[in-house]
Amino acid sequence: MKFPISITILLCRFARFLLRRLGRGGTNVPGTLALKLRPDILKTLSKDVTIVLVTGTNGKTTITRMIEQCFREAGFSYFTNRSGANMDTGIAAEFVVNSTVRGKCQYPYALIECDELAFRKVSRYANVKYVVVSNIFRDQLDRYGEITHTLTGIFDGIHNIPDATVCLNADCSLSTSLHERLPNKVIFYGLNCPLYKDRVKEVSDAPYCIHCGKAYRYDYVTYGHLGKYFCENCGYRRPEPAVAVEEILSMDADSTTVRLKFPDGEHKVKINLPGGYNVYNAAAAAAVGTAMGLSDETVTAALEHFECGFGRMEKVTINDTDVRMILVKNPAGANQVLSFLYNIEDPAVFVVGLNDRYADGTDISWIWDADFEKLVSMGDRLHRVVVTGIRADEMAMRFKYAGLDPQKIDIIRDYSELLRSVTKEHIPVFIMPTYTAMLSIRELMSREYHIKEFWK
Amino acid sequence: MDTLKICHLYPDTLNLYGDRGNILCMKKRMEWRGLPVEIAEISVGEHFDPYDYDIYFIGGGQDFEQEVLLKDLAGEKGTAIKRAVDEEKVFLTICGGYQILGNYYKTWDGVQCDFLGAIDVYTVGEKKRMVGDFMFRLSEEDGGSIVTGFENHSGKTYLGKDVRPLGKILRGHGNNGEDGTEGARFKNVFASYSHGPLLPKNPKLCDFILKTALARKDPNISLKALDDTFENRAAAFMEKRLSAE
């Protein structure tokens, strides 16, 4: 006999209530409990709900927030997993919280950010209608083993839901290979133009054709292995995207303006978030908007209005100083952040917070694959470099080998002292933390500077 | 003094886990001493003369790119690498790069894949990966210092009788998790499972490798000491943490 759904829901809610009373924002304990009692709980709770799910290596949170803004503009009634609780346990907990005790979801729409490997577990039971795959890069290989495991995980996830519409990044040769093996309806999105004049030095995660093993050729590369690729040998090539950025009109420290093509026309859009990689995130959000039948105007308004999420270029003010926090976790993502920082015009203070807990990835060797040399080459605009986190020493050494004078590298382990020190000259600060370093810094900001807690 | 020439083999394929940091480390430690150094990159489909370089570096890669590599190694590239090893050129090879110098790799379900046979080791695949921070002590001939790094491999490697280990495992798995050995030494080949990358946090080993290569040009070479405060601090942190486990 199955464990009764009502009691499962009540127990989970109680666990969550207790955790919050203890001042902890965790969602994993209630979710683990729910899945233990009822492994198929998502099947019941997601009945009659239209689920939009975002997965892939980089950009999940930002794409989710952009789609959320589309939902707001469209007046949808929805719930979403907010605090980076994107494993099957966190997602189960969110469904529990947003359902009645009888197991009926209170919202017609659910917007879910989902970890690449948790995806197949979630889609096994949950009734997912739309899937967005951001891209596939090398990420935390200590956990995923190899990039092909990520690809297989996403394939399995989509394989569970043949009726779902899938939005794929046309410029990612790994993602597009999914299309040929699945019966799903696919909408491609991508960039019909290069992204930067001056790219960082980086390695490609997929230099060879996934079908025949011959090196790809490119009409242009946007970043990493993304771009207009083709294989001379077997003819595998980038598909034509239905939703595409046709031109980058301008880029600055706060936004990027682009010409965005939808199936029925073009719009000039100001994406309210800086950084070239966010142009991809915007195209992904536009693709799912199109798939859902939202008007172009709703989508473009959303991209212009939305505010960024947890640790993704989040801006706060401390001691009258702008402090931006940008999560880094793998070389492709870090290189995108470094490209953005390289283009800022005024001097700034740069902080890297390197932790090596499980959620960060226990292998920190990716810092050697990220082009920190680019940051060092900023000259006078590199006002100061501070490193923090469990593996601060290693990061300091990385900066030394990137060519920075060791005298100019400060190690400050105490976050309280760190925030005080980096804001004392009132020069803009960019903090690049790994995941758990971000949680700790965020917690301290809320405690000492009363910046709101992230799960509220 | 002649320019030290370093050849990075397959930089675009075997490029996992920051292994290219080893190249950067060797380059910087030469430059900081005012010694001339040059890096060349040789990829799939490109040829090289085994006599052209002093140090060869091969990093780790992902299994799915292996086919491309094997095809490339089967030709004259493989012969050139073997020749360079025989001629006592210095090699630093990590993980996948270490394995391909060996005789073969047998997958866990029994499929055998022949490799170069440049050093007498072989590797057997395991389903379970050996992943995590690890620590070993170099053998006395190679300086005897403690090395910390990160291992991530499913292959278990076993050494033949003419090959000695690079070090003795203090924490973690190393070659196979069974015999307490880590890495391999044969002629001037230094092979290891240590990513991290290996050299920056272990400057003594880096200098030992540089010196081995430079001594072939000038037997009286001595390397000026560098300020290794940052390097030693990063290594000491990991040594302390691993020792406490």
Side-chain angles (χ1 to χ4, degrees):
Chain A
M1 200 191 82
K2 281 183 183 173
F3 198 81
I5 196 93
S6 310
I7 299 177
T8 308
I9 291 174
L10 284 171
L11 283 171
C12 295
R13 286 198 183 167
F14 183 61
R16 186 166 173 274
F17 169 78
L18 279 181
L19 285 170
R20 295 238 159 152
R21 280 298 289 269
L22 294 168
R24 292 174 44 191
T27 52
N28 279 333
V29 175
T32 307
L33 183 66
L35 290 173
K36 199 109 206 160
L37 299 173
R38 281 290 294 256
D40 65 343
I41 192 161
L42 284 174
K43 193 171 176 180
T44 311
L45 301 188
S46 73
K47 200 169 166 284
D48 302 324
V49 183
T50 300
I51 301 178
V52 178
L53 182 144
V54 183
T55 191
T57 309
N58 288 331
K60 292 186 286 288
T61 304
T62 304
I63 295 171
T64 306
R65 296 287 77 85
M66 286 172 163
I67 299 170
E68 180 174 18
Q69 190 63 34
C70 290
F71 282 14
R72 286 206 196 104
E73 303 279 341
F76 284 6
S77 168
Y78 68 93
F79 79 90
T80 180
N81 53 339
R82 256 170 215 288
S83 43
N86 67 5
M87 304 301 288
D88 49 334
T89 48
I91 292 164
E94 288 293 336
F95 268 95
V96 166
V97 172
N98 290 289
S99 298
T100 63
V101 178
R102 288 169 180 277
K104 167 112 180 86
C105 184
Q106 293 167 304
Y107 300 95
Y109 290 92
L111 173 58
I112 302 297
E113 173 190 327
C114 186
D115 174 84
E116 304 87 281
L117 287 197
F119 177 33
R120 66 178 123 194
K121 294 190 230 167
V122 171
S123 69
R124 188 167 163 210
Y125 294 112
N127 163 38
V128 180
K129 286 256 174 54
Y130 301 94
V131 177
V132 189
V133 180
S134 62
N135 46 50
I136 297 171
F137 279 101
R138 213 186 261 185
D139 182 35
Q140 299 180 19
L141 289 173
D142 60 312
R143 189 152 70 98
Y144 295 101
E146 293 203 2
I147 204 165
T148 39
H149 294 188
T150 313
L151 186 62
T152 308
I154 293 174
F155 174 83
D156 292 348
I158 300 174
H159 192 70
N160 288 335
I161 41 172
D163 295 330
T165 300
V166 183
C167 301
L168 295 178
N169 188 335
D171 302 348
C172 171
S173 56
L174 294 164
S175 303
T176 53
S177 73
L178 293 164
H179 174 227
E180 304 157 11
R181 299 151 64 202
L182 291 160
N184 299 61
K185 185 182 170 199
V186 169
I187 293 184
F188 288 108
Y189 63 89
L191 265 62
N192 284 342
C193 57
L195 201 45
Y196 302 104
K197 278 183 225 101
D198 193 13
R199 288 172 45 222
V200 297
K201 197 172 157 218
E202 58 188 342
V203 293
S204 169
D205 288 351
Y208 296 104
C209 178
I210 194 160
H211 292 298
C212 73
K214 180 106 178 149
Y216 285 121
R217 295 197 51 189
Y218 283 85
D219 284 340
Y220 55 85
V221 174
T222 51
Y223 75 87
H225 65 276
L226 308 187
K228 192 168 182 183
Y229 63 87
F230 60 97
C231 174
E232 281 182 320
N233 188 43
C234 74
Y236 180 59
R237 59 171 54 240
R238 168 194 189 249
E240 201 56 45
V243 175
V245 170
E246 294 288 337
E247 192 185 350
I248 311 280
L249 299 168
S250 66
M251 269 185 169
D252 61 36
D254 293 309
S255 67
T256 306
T257 305
V258 301
R259 199 149 57 78
L260 185 60
K261 182 192 83 170
F262 290 86
D264 305 322
E266 278 187 16
H267 294 265
K268 183 178 157 185
V269 188
K270 184 179 158 198
I271 302 162
N272 190 28
L273 190 62
Y277 51 106
N278 286 315
V279 173
Y280 268 109
N281 295 334
V288 79
T290 300
M292 296 180 77
L294 300 179
S295 72
D296 299 355
E297 287 72 21
T298 303
V299 173
T300 52
L303 296 176
E304 298 194 344
H305 296 159
F306 100 105
E307 285 173 32
C308 43
F310 192 43
R312 275 79 182 176
M313 271 321 168
E314 197 176 17
K315 186 162 101 179
V316 298
T317 307
I318 292 172
N319 297 334
D320 299 319
T321 307
D322 281 352
V323 178
R324 281 190 177 83
M325 192 127 77
I326 321 169
L327 181 74
V328 291
K329 53 176 182 169
N330 54 34
N335 278 333
Q336 285 301 295
V337 171
L338 294 168
S339 281
F340 163 71
L341 294 176
Y342 181 76
N343 285 302
I344 62 168
E345 285 170 5
D346 298 316
V349 174
F350 299 92
V351 180
V352 179
L354 183 62
N355 275 2
D356 65 351
R357 297 202 173 97
Y358 181 75
D360 303 292
T362 57
D363 178 10
I364 56 154
S365 59
W366 63 268
I367 62 171
W368 296 85
D369 290 324
D371 192 11
F372 285 99
E373 282 77 2
K374 191 89 180 167
L375 208 59
V376 174
S377 73
M378 287 174 72
D380 293 343
R381 288 175 299 149
L382 189 82
H383 181 73
R384 186 179 171 201
V385 169
V386 184
V387 295
T388 188
I390 298 169
R391 300 296 292 273
D393 296 325
E394 195 101 5
M395 194 60 228
M397 184 173 71
R398 175 69 185 97
F399 272 117
K400 179 183 170 186
Y401 279 87
L404 193 61
D405 179 355
Q407 305 268 344
K408 287 190 180 162
I409 308 166
D410 288 331
I411 302 178
I412 305 178
R413 288 181 189 278
D414 182 80
Y415 292 134
S416 183
E417 191 193 329
L418 173 83
L419 288 181
R420 235 186 348 261
S421 172
V422 296
T423 55
K424 71 178 179 219
E425 294 174 278
H426 308 298
I427 290 170
V429 179
F430 292 91
I431 305 179
M432 289 167 268
T434 57
Y435 191 73
T436 67
M438 178 185 72
L439 293 187
S440 304
I441 294 171
R442 202 71 183 74
E443 192 187 292
L444 187 95
M445 284 177 173
S446 77
R447 205 170 55 229
E448 293 189 2
Y449 300 94
H450 306 291
I451 288 159
K452 70 174 183 188
E453 290 168 85
F454 69 83
W455 61 84
K456 288 184 179 153
Chain B
M1 153 127 242
D2 263 8
T3 301
L4 182 79
K5 292 185 175 166
I6 302 177
C7 174
H8 189 177
L9 281 165
Y10 304 115
D12 50 350
T13 324
L14 298 176
N15 59 7
L16 281 190
Y17 315 111
D19 286 339
R20 75 182 182 135
N22 293 314
I23 294 280
L24 180 64
C25 184
M26 290 190 278
K27 179 169 176 272
K28 287 286 179 190
R29 295 185 73 81
M30 287 293 286
E31 288 172 356
W32 287 334
R33 294 177 166 113
L35 300 172
V37 58
E38 251 175 46
I39 315 288
E41 300 193 333
I42 302 285
S43 287
V44 170
E46 294 172 349
H47 302 290
F48 73 95
D49 182 332
Y51 297 97
D52 275 357
Y53 304 97
D54 305 302
I55 301 181
Y56 290 87
F57 174 75
I58 317 177
Q62 313 202 57
D63 292 345
F64 82 109
E65 282 159 343
Q66 197 173 283
E67 245 175 84
V68 179
L69 273 186
L70 285 180
K71 242 200 262 169
D72 197 60
L73 285 168
E76 58 180 275
K77 191 85 126 281
T79 318
I81 292 173
K82 267 180 88 164
R83 169 72 50 83
V85 170
D86 287 343
E87 294 293 327
E88 303 193 341
K89 293 284 184 183
V90 174
F91 273 73
L92 173 63
T93 66
I94 309 292
C95 199
Y98 169 19
Q99 294 171 356
I100 58 174
L101 287 192
N103 296 324
Y104 62 84
Y105 184 105
K106 198 186 262 175
T107 60
W108 60 269
D109 50 358
V111 183
Q112 184 169 322
C113 187
D114 287 327
F115 284 157
L116 291 175
I119 61 174
D120 183 19
V121 305
Y122 66 94
T123 305
V124 181
E126 243 331 281
K127 269 183 161 176
K128 200 170 151 13
R129 289 187 86 82
M130 290 164 265
V131 186
D133 293 309
F134 78 138
M135 178 159 77
F136 56 96
R137 186 185 287 283
L138 294 175
S139 58
E140 287 306 323
E141 299 96 307
D142 300 324
S145 61
I146 288 181
V147 170
T148 59
F150 191 93
E151 60 178 333
N152 188 347
H153 54 112
S154 56
K156 289 182 164 182
T157 298
Y158 299 90
L159 309 181
K161 63 177 189 323
D162 292 335
V163 177
R164 62 179 175 84
L166 177 67
K168 222 180 119 198
I169 280 292
L170 299 171
R171 290 288 184 280
H173 302 89
N175 279 335
N176 47 47
E178 294 159 11
D179 60 15
T181 64
E182 154 55 20
R185 286 283 281 116
F186 174 72
K187 293 192 171 177
N188 285 330
V189 176
F190 297 78
S192 175
Y193 270 115
S194 178
H195 300 288
L198 171 65
L199 298 184
K201 234 183 2 261
N202 301 293
K204 282 190 189 129
L205 178 59
C206 183
D207 287 351
F208 187 81
I209 289 171
L210 291 175
K211 220 171 146 178
T212 306
L214 290 168
R216 286 168 48 81
K217 295 170 173 291
D218 172 5
N220 301 318
I221 186 86
S222 75
L223 287 178
K224 199 164 69 187
L226 296 173
D227 178 356
D228 288 332
T229 312
F230 275 50
E231 290 82 347
N232 293 337
R233 197 168 47 200
F237 176 83
M238 285 312 290
E239 200 182 312
K240 192 173 161 205
R241 190 165 93 176
L242 285 164
S243 300
E245 268 177 16

